[in-house]
Amino acid sequence: MKKLNILILLIILTSLLAALPVSAQEGDNEVTDDEVNAIARELFCPVCENTPLDVCETQACKQWRELIRTKLEEGWTEEEIKQYFVDNYGARVLSEPPKKGFNLLVYFVPPIIILIGVVILFRAFKEWQGDNDYEDEDIETLEATEPETSENDSDANDYMAQFEEELKKTK
Amino acid sequence: MLPSLGYGIIVITFLVTLYSVAIALYGENKKDGAMIESARRAMLITLPLITIASAILIYLLINDRYDVEYVWSVTNRTMPTYLKITAWWGGQPGSLLFWSWLLSVFTSAVTLRKWDRDRELLPWVLVVTGATLAFFLALNVFYENPFKLIPAGVPTPLDGRGLSPLLRHPGMIIHPPAQYLGFVAVTIPYAFAIAALITGRTDDRWIRITRKWTLWAWLFLTLGLVLGMRWAYDVLGWGGYWGWDPVEIAALLPWLTISAYLHSVMIQEKRNMLKQWNMILIILSFGLVIFGTFLTRSGVLSSVHAFAESEIGPLFFIFIAFTFIVSFSLLIQRWASLKSETEMRSMLSREALILLTVLLFLSILIISFWGVIFPLLSELFTGSKVTVGPPFYERATGPVWGALILLMGIAPLSAWGHSTITTLGRAIWKPALAALIFPIVALVSGITNWIALSGFTVIGLVITVTIREFFIGIRARSQNEHLNENYFAAFLHLIKRNRRKYGGYIVHISMVLIGIGILGIELFQTDTQQHLALGEEIELAGYTLRYDRLDQFMHEDGRRITRGEMALSKDGVYIETLAPRFDLYPDGQPMTIPAVRSTLVDDVYVILVNWEGITRESTPFKVYHNPLVKWVWIGSYLFVIGILVAVWKDEDKKKV
Amino acid sequence: MTENIPENTSSETPPKKGMPLWAQITGWGVMIALLLIVFVGLQRAREGNVQAGAETASFDFTLPLFEGYEYEGKDEVSLTDLRGKIVVLNFWATWCVPCQQEADEMEEAWQHYQPDGDVVFIGVDYVDTEPEALAYLEEYGITYPNGPDMGTEISQAFRIQGVPETYFLDRDGVVQYVQKGPFATTQQIIGIVESLK
């Protein structure tokens, strides 16, 4: 256990060291609107519901975009900025619920329901197939003996039959 | 005087509707035809009554009667007359009245039909539509009176607050009415379904009666969605048209169930199966219409569309609970009689594939519904608010939409009753080969994204398969020596002979055209935002936009308009000048109006980013490049044409 | 796809069955759950903010204070520590214009009570950015403890409907008065506090 802790500490330290020069370098650069918007569009304004931050027109949102710019100038990563927003304004600034705890339900419930639906449908199919005393082999052989008709698609046949009937009527 | 008259008429209409419901129930109980006839007539009176009430409201709106609270809150003197009329549905009380009026129109139309063969359904149709109408009128009578005067003693305001700037747009004329028409029209098939359940006439008579009604409902639901998307794209200035907002989803949900219904109903008509399914789908559609309306009007959910907080919640809740419980109880009671001899011989038969289609539609329904309801759940159980935004819906429903389109390509080739891999394979290989043109063209034009390539392949398949369907029919007609038609005449006659089938195919084509647009904007949208001084340029996706001038002036209605001009060019060739605008309303409300240059290949969409502060030296512009988005609108128009083809009266029906 | 199915034993059509029990139970279950959720949601939407008379013991919070602010020497303040004192809890934000209108009055009232130590003013900065907030506090010379509402937890606990909103808590931590919107005068604030004494 202890060894593991030390290992983790080492990894964190080295990654920090690796990150340092990069952030120092970035700090000098001017941050463009596009870089700000790239992060802002994935965040939601905490006061105006359901509006992404990059297109929100309120004074508050303008301040948040400035905040993103400041943080980017300080060399923060996208993940860090998002985390900062969550800490400050709550999980609702994220465009999706964080994948933990109760919120996992949002990701798991629909597939489960749909899966149950598929299973029910599949079982119903089996039942319906069993309902009638139809020999599947019969159909196969039927088709094999009459290759001409199956060449045409059945809809065309449908149509021709209906069409012949109409012709008879018009005469 | 006039306002009291208006309110009086609403109250009277409410009472008349209650009378109609009561006397229909009583008459049905006593088997008294005269009473049911009386109920029918009472229902017919509601239309002229609500029409008069609405006319009074419109008169008050047009004539700036600011002593009426509603008029004050949604109009002002500078608004043009057409907007004053649209203010009828610009706020909660007025839009509820508008809703009642539409429902009354539909109800009257259905009440006037010939009932001879379906006498026993009449009282129950009257009860269901009447109860719904009474409910909506009750909202006006008890909570949201559009004729309410401003409090006594307060001097009449000289001017009104005016419609929210977002709503001051020609789109306001058609989007809300289309959306409401779609919602309201669902009531009719629902009423017949419930009537069929109660009377036990659970054969497909109710389906045949409501076939056209359902198609109309679908048409208007589609129109409502599409017009809303167009409006958002043209006015809201965020470069897109669909934001997975709760209200947008609330409008999508009944569209999904009606779409599913229109497919599964074919199975019932052709093979007499799935009666229970059709019943469930219609009940669901109505439930979702009411539920969606409730969510957005009661303040339970917040959204850009949401109406101001209102007291109608509890009554709405009771109506919803009542509707759900009664419908489900009836369904359980009649379940056995809805059972049909289902036989599904193979999983590739047409009916099996259609059933799969229904399942996919319902999957999208479940995902979207869950996404809308989840923030409520989260707040309830964890106490913290969360947002379920576009990434969730896109990721979850994307593959399902894809599968739906794939089925559109396969299902028309499978036969009713029985298909095998062999028969299907024989039918599909030629169109599939032809469809490869689409991804090849995409590859040649430099698209390597695998989602796009597989998307285009499936879309191509749908197009080739559908064209093949048309071609087979046309060739059969034109090669027949009795008819001796040319190809064009054959095409027209083909559609005339089977409007629903070929209307449906047109809708399929239109769906994949919309799909092309969605793939384009979802996968390849790019944008940039830059601060420019006059004369500076922005480059995006091969286009160059040069900032030429900036004007600021006052509009006569008090708006302060800031207008930028940008010269759009490509490869040094000038194309046109785009003028994005920013309007500041006197009440401080801003509007950002984009300038768009739209072609079949792509849109260049420019907005003046007013919220960043505009000066001549440094004007912020945001430019979006939206590839292929025009196909969304082209597909939408075709969609409407397709439904119109399907809904048009069959000529041969009259002869029989 | 096609499987061999043993010959069906009964050739007559079976008697028609009602809806299977599991489907009925699921149907009712889903419907009732849905109605319940909506009902509670509706209740929430309608009840609005925490009203006078509400106990705050159930949602104690600890407010980290902005740089340069402290309460009794600590850089954070928790609600339970303030039992026995009258608390004026003011929600504000820099992007909120009415908040600026009442900023001077709030500070004046605070100056009036500060020497006593019996009444505590707390400013909760609702969804704001730190640099802007600090500039605002400096501009209006606000000296009572102020801090950001981390994760909007405090404002959610009080279910505030907007800013500014001010909650007056008595010595037992019970909400006694709620002011929505700005105060017009310093006297108004003092008057309310006096009524709690």
Side-chain angles (χ1 to χ4, degrees), chain B residues 175-208:
Chain B
H175 164 58
Q179 192 68 63
Y180 287 5
L181 270 169
F183 285 161
V184 170
V186 175
T187 315
I188 305 300
Y190 171 75
F192 276 93
I194 292 295
L197 280 179
I198 294 176
T199 55
R201 267 192 73 176
T202 45
D203 56 354
D204 45 10
R205 183 68 194 148
W206 72 272
I207 285 178
R208 293 194 188 283

Side-chain angles (χ1 to χ4, degrees), chain B residues 405-481:
Chain B
I405 292 183
L406 181 64
L407 272 179
M408 259 187 226
I410 297 173
L413 297 176
S414 71
W416 291 99
H418 193 267
S419 279
T420 63
I421 292 274
T422 335
T423 56
L424 211 51
R426 262 196 293 250
I428 211 171
W429 73 270
K430 272 189 248 174
L433 216 58
L436 283 178
I437 294 173
F438 284 78
I440 288 170
V441 168
L443 260 177
V444 170
S445 56
I447 293 170
T448 50
N449 181 314
W450 71 269
I451 300 176
L453 288 178
S454 37
F456 285 130
T457 312
V458 180
I459 285 170
L461 182 68
V462 176
I463 293 176
T464 50
V465 163
T466 317
I467 288 177
R468 174 181 171 277
E469 289 290 305
F470 275 100
F471 182 69
I472 289 173
I474 292 171
R475 196 180 53 186
R477 282 194 88 92
S478 64
Q479 284 180 355
N480 187 296
E481 58 266 25

Side-chain angles (χ1 to χ4, degrees), chain C residues 94-142:
Chain C
T94 57
W95 40 263
C96 140
V97 182
C99 297
Q100 297 164 14
Q101 292 166 12
E102 65 167 11
D104 287 337
E105 283 76 13
M106 284 295 291
E107 178 61 22
E108 254 182 64
W110 164 241
Q111 296 292 352
H112 176 83
Y113 285 112
Q114 193 188 11
D116 261 4
D118 189 35
V119 178
V120 183
F121 280 50
I122 306 275
V124 181
D125 186 15
Y126 174 68
V127 289
D128 217 337
T129 57
E130 194 169 338
E132 303 270 350
L134 290 174
Y136 176 99
L137 291 170
E138 176 152 8
E139 186 188 339
Y140 292 96
I142 288 168

Side-chain angles (χ1 to χ4, degrees), chain B residues 12 49 86 98 120 193 199 232 243 390 395 412 434 437 445 454 469 555 583 596 601 634 654:
Chain B
I12 291 169
L49 283 175
T86 64
F98 182 59
E120 73 260 49
T199 55
R395 193 152 21 85
I437 294 173
S445 56
S454 37
E469 289 290 305
H555 190 268
D583 295 6
V596 188
V601 180
I634 294 175
K654 286 179 191 161

Side-chain angles (χ1 to χ4, degrees), chain A residues 34 37 41 65 92 95-96, chain B residues 387 389 395 527-529 611:
Chain A
D34 286 345
N37 282 339
R41 87 184 43 187
R65 280 192 295 270
R92 66 179 146 160
S95 55
E96 283 184 285
Chain B
T387 307
R395 193 152 21 85
D527 67 80
T528 181
Q529 178 178 319
W611 56 81

Side-chain angles (χ1 to χ4, degrees), chain A residues 42 113-114:
Chain A
E42 297 185 7
I113 297 178
I114 293 168

Side-chain angles (χ1 to χ4, degrees), chain C residues 132-187:
Chain C
E132 303 270 350
L134 290 174
Y136 176 99
L137 291 170
E138 176 152 8
E139 186 188 339
Y140 292 96
I142 288 168
T143 56
Y144 53 89
N146 259 285
D149 179 12
M150 296 299 280
T152 65
E153 276 165 19
I154 306 174
S155 50
Q156 280 188 52
F158 281 87
R159 302 191 299 266
I160 67 165
Q161 309 290 299
V163 274
E165 240 170 63
T166 310
Y167 293 78
F168 292 81
L169 278 60
D170 68 12
R171 293 173 211 278
D172 302 322
V174 178
V175 178
Q176 291 297 349
Y177 186 85
V178 183
Q179 168 77 20
K180 285 185 175 185
F183 294 100
T185 61
T186 314
Q187 276 315 311

